Amino acid sequence: MPVHSAPIRSEPGGPARPIADLSYNELNQIDLLLTLQQPIPGAPDALFFVAAHQITELWFKVILHELDGARRAMDADALPEARRRLARVARGEEVLVCHLRAVGTITPGDFALLRAQLGTSSAYESAQFREIEFVSGRKDARFLEGPRVTGAERARLAARLSEPSLADAFEALLDRRGRPDLARVLAGDADPELGALIEALIEHDEGFARWRHGHALMTERIIGYRAGTGGTGGVDYLRSTVGERFFPQLWAARSAVYDS
């Protein structure tokens, strides 16, 4: 059966129909999508706030899909495909950084009205955010023990914790290529294909670091130095994560170029 004719369900519980028979609305399940932003009484910015976070989670899903594809490509020594996937990750991270500027239009006064209705909910609880960290190479098992982590989220995080990360895949790739001198690779003196992959990994690392920094600034602009929702550390916590990197050895190798 051709891919474009594969049957899918245009709505939950509905009959499976060929993709070619679906309208734009059905294919993208727009009617269902537009029901997922529930109003919050007394909070005029609720639609904006909820939709903005849902959009972020959708981009997290796309980024995870591409990171998984990049890891598989690296395992198969398909470095051009890995770079293509990582380029898409980097473009998604650019969108997320721009998206933060939109979220930053919420004023402190408007957020105060909204915050009173949020209870203990916090973006700190985003399981997909932790999945991106885990699959990239920054793994911390403590997040599995959070009191608000659901069973399904814990299962996903546990799987990510146990499987090889992107950093692991890169180390295995280096083994297969005879452990080249990364300083020489970055200087352009050896293995240009590997050098291009390193730049793609760095771009992902930089893109996520930019998002962390932008998130901290956006939060500071909206709530100042108060604790975050759900009792999280707010800006102080977010600032403490800005310097984190997924591939510290690749950043260190850049310095070594000038010593060789």
Side-chain angles (χ1 to χ4, degrees):
M1 179 181 293
V3 173
H4 68 274
S5 297
I8 66 170
R9 300 185 188 281
S10 60
E11 58 184 47
R17 295 165 54 197
I19 292 176
D21 291 348
L22 301 182
S23 68
Y24 169 87
N25 180 74
E26 292 172 323
L27 178 64
N28 294 288
Q29 300 190 42
I30 301 300
D31 290 339
L32 173 61
L33 179 65
L34 297 181
T35 68
L36 301 180
Q37 299 78 43
Q38 298 298 315
I40 300 176
D45 281 340
L47 172 62
F48 179 80
F49 184 83
V50 171
H53 284 78
Q54 290 177 340
I55 290 166
T56 297
E57 290 292 334
L58 284 173
W59 271 110
F60 283 171
K61 182 175 183 177
V62 171
I63 287 171
L64 279 167
H65 177 76
E66 299 301 331
L67 288 174
D68 285 336
R71 184 184 56 191
R72 288 192 299 269
M74 289 167 63
D75 288 342
D77 294 310
L79 272 58
E81 171 65 6
R83 293 200 307 271
R84 185 181 75 84
R85 297 280 193 165
L86 288 167
R88 185 170 290 170
V89 168
R91 300 296 81 76
E93 288 163 344
E94 288 175 357
V95 172
L96 285 174
V97 170
C98 292
H99 184 63
L100 287 170
R101 298 189 64 187
V103 179
T105 62
I106 298 176
T107 67
D110 289 337
F111 187 71
L113 294 175
L114 180 61
R115 185 175 186 172
Q117 310 300 324
L118 292 180
T120 59
S121 173
S122 169
Y124 179 84
E125 298 168 346
S126 170
Q128 287 200 119
F129 175 84
R130 300 304 173 190
E131 284 189 80
I132 291 173
E133 290 191 317
F134 284 16
V135 76
S136 296
R138 183 177 181 269
K139 298 182 177 183
D140 189 338
R142 290 176 298 176
F143 291 114
L144 277 69
E145 306 307 320
R148 302 286 288 273
V149 177
T150 68
E153 290 170 339
R154 185 172 289 107
R156 295 204 323 264
L157 289 169
R160 295 290 186 187
L161 193 64
S162 63
E163 69 188 15
S165 69
L166 204 61
D168 294 328
F170 181 75
E171 289 299 316
L173 176 66
L174 291 183
D175 286 340
R176 293 194 300 274
R177 293 174 100 89
R179 283 282 156 182
D181 183 332
L182 293 184
R184 288 193 61 221
V185 173
L186 289 172
D189 297 331
D191 204 337
E193 187 178 55
L194 180 62
L197 175 66
I198 290 173
E199 292 305 309
L201 290 168
I202 286 287
E203 189 172 26
H204 161 44
D205 211 347
E206 180 181 351
F208 212 70
R210 288 183 185 277
W211 185 84
R212 288 182 187 278
H213 183 247
H215 189 210
L217 284 174
M218 180 269 293
T219 303
E220 184 176 359
R221 177 171 178 165
I222 294 175
I223 69 171
Y225 306 104
R226 294 182 62 87
T229 50
T232 57
V235 172
D236 286 342
Y237 167 75
L238 294 175
R239 282 178 170 175
S240 73
T241 68
V242 168
E244 293 171 355
R245 299 291 181 268
F246 297 136
F247 314 109
Q249 77 278 25
L250 298 184
W251 292 94
R254 304 179 91 79
S255 300
V257 170
Y258 300 95
D259 299 328
S260 58

